[in-house]
Amino acid sequence: GSVDALTISNAVLTGADAAQFSISNMPASVAANATASFTINFDGQGSGDKVAVLTISNNDASEGEYIINIHAVAGTLSSEPTA
């Protein structure tokens, strides 16, 4: 395998409820054999299921874009998960 850093060129939220989600702390790159974290924030409007898709574009020729499906629940019946 390669020992090059993963360069993140773009991170985009799309989908029906994408405006209710935001991304913070997205790294510009991740060193080889390292890990990195970022945060997906949710500001649920209304109530019910909310969905979005996070697409992360990068320089990984063997994997292409990373696609993460996001699901959240908004409203008075929802609760914040515990760690």
Side-chain angles (χ1 to χ4, degrees):
S2 177
V3 293
D4 294 334
L6 177 71
T7 300
I8 297 171
S9 56
N10 202 8
V12 178
L13 287 163
T14 58
D17 303 302
Q20 296 182 43
F21 297 88
S22 63
I23 306 165
S24 57
N25 304 315
M26 178 64 72
S29 65
V30 180
N33 300 311
T35 61
S37 298
F38 61 92
T39 302
I40 299 173
N41 304 292
F42 176 60
D43 181 24
Q45 304 295 313
S47 62
D49 292 350
K50 307 296 178 180
V51 296
V53 177
L54 172 59
T55 303
I56 302 173
S57 302
N58 60 77
N59 66 335
D60 187 339
S62 66
E63 297 295 329
E65 294 180 326
Y66 298 121
I67 298 172
I68 302 169
N69 296 305
I70 304 168
H71 177 248
V73 179
T76 57
L77 298 177
S78 62
S79 62
E80 187 168 332
T82 57

